[in-house]
Amino acid sequence: MARISICKQEGLDWVQGKPNPGSTDPSGASRQRHLGNDGEPQLFEVRAEPGMQAEVHAHEKDEVIYIVAGQMLFGQHKLNPGDSLMVPGNMLYSFKAGPDGLQFLNFRGQKDVTYYRKDEFQKLQTLEAGERAEYREVLIQRRAEQRGWG
């Protein structure tokens, strides 16, 4: 049954991201607004420190990113508050936070907890279906532990 879901800002905790092993790059933080599931959309918010470089990565689902504050450097593009971009699922990409940092909303049509680094994504493409599913689950669990998602 359809229902209205409201997310109030009060008490919504930021979860600090952990830099990749061996990295000294500044990290970011995120907070879930709407968790989503197979039939409901997902919305979360991300905050990145000035100059934070997101590693090249991919997600399985399409996503829309809406810039709330700061600046996102995306290839040759500089995205400012009010700008947005759509990234298709299974496409490698990266971005960098501008000199004043970055805050954005990330919307996906359904829950997607996948996050594949470039090397992981490339390996996934070489595996047969059964091995791919097993490797995918290992990656999802590893990322959940790194991000404190339980």
Side-chain angles (χ1 to χ4, degrees):
M1 173 184 245
R3 62 180 171 74
I4 294 173
S5 174
I6 296 173
C7 177
K8 302 279 253 167
Q9 187 144 304
E10 303 88 39
L12 199 58
D13 294 329
W14 288 95
V15 176
Q16 186 64 39
K18 297 176 185 168
N20 293 320
S23 173
T24 58
D25 292 340
S27 62
S30 64
R31 57 184 177 180
Q32 293 288 333
R33 292 188 161 270
H34 298 275
L35 296 175
N37 59 41
D38 287 343
E40 295 179 357
Q42 176 184 39
L43 179 69
F44 59 94
E45 190 172 2
V46 176
R47 199 170 50 191
E49 300 296 323
M52 186 204 88
Q53 175 72 50
E55 66 186 328
V56 176
H57 67 282
H59 308 281
E60 290 180 358
K61 305 294 182 194
D62 296 348
E63 60 187 308
V64 173
I65 297 171
Y66 177 82
I67 311 304
V68 174
Q71 189 175 66
M72 177 185 278
L73 307 174
F74 189 82
Q76 300 299 314
H77 303 277
K78 292 181 180 178
L79 303 172
N80 297 300
D83 294 341
S84 63
L85 69 147
M86 195 285 292
V87 181
N90 294 308
M91 176 174 279
L92 290 168
Y93 73 100
S94 181
F95 62 87
K96 185 175 182 175
D100 296 324
L102 171 65
Q103 188 169 344
F104 63 88
L105 295 173
N106 187 295
F107 171 82
R108 298 179 193 173
Q110 64 185 46
K111 185 174 187 170
D112 180 14
V113 296
T114 60
Y115 180 100
Y116 305 127
R117 294 187 330 247
K118 183 178 180 180
D119 61 318
E120 296 166 341
F121 181 77
Q122 290 171 329
K123 180 176 178 177
L124 273 168
Q125 307 314 304
T126 68
L127 299 174
E128 296 295 325
E131 291 177 308
R132 183 179 309 128
E134 188 176 311
Y135 184 57
R136 177 186 178 275
E137 290 306 314
V138 167
L139 294 176
I140 289 171
Q141 182 60 37
R142 183 183 308 155
R143 204 70 67 221
E145 291 168 4
Q146 288 174 337
R147 299 262 156 81
W149 294 340

